[in-house]
Amino acid sequence: MHAAPRRRSVHRLRAGLPALGAARRLRAGDLQLLNNHVVLHSRTEYTDHPEPERRCHLLRLWLTT
């Protein structure tokens, strides 16, 4: 596929994604698991709390099944 058709395809895909998406706000104790092979996902920019006692402990884990 040439660059121009590829750009148009990506633009169309991105234009339709908000209708298919779901935003979630995680709270203390929540766990989110995603399978990157079946879920097209993104996330908004993350800014942690300045107070050490309110900061989140985020981990990334790769599982092989």
Side-chain angles (χ1 to χ4, degrees), residues 42-56:
S42 67
R43 58 183 166 265
T44 56
E45 183 178 350
Y46 177 75
T47 304
D48 211 347
H49 295 279
E51 305 87 6
E53 67 277 2
R54 294 187 66 200
R55 289 189 184 150
C56 290

Side-chain angles (χ1 to χ4, degrees), residues 16-56:
L17 287 179
L20 300 173
R24 306 230 188 272
R25 184 171 298 274
L26 299 177
R27 298 179 304 220
D30 286 351
L31 173 67
Q32 182 179 40
L33 299 174
L34 298 173
N35 181 339
N36 287 334
H37 295 285
V38 296
V39 176
L40 178 63
H41 68 91
S42 67
R43 58 183 166 265
T44 56
E45 183 178 350
Y46 177 75
T47 304
D48 211 347
H49 295 279
E51 305 87 6
E53 67 277 2
R54 294 187 66 200
R55 289 189 184 150
C56 290

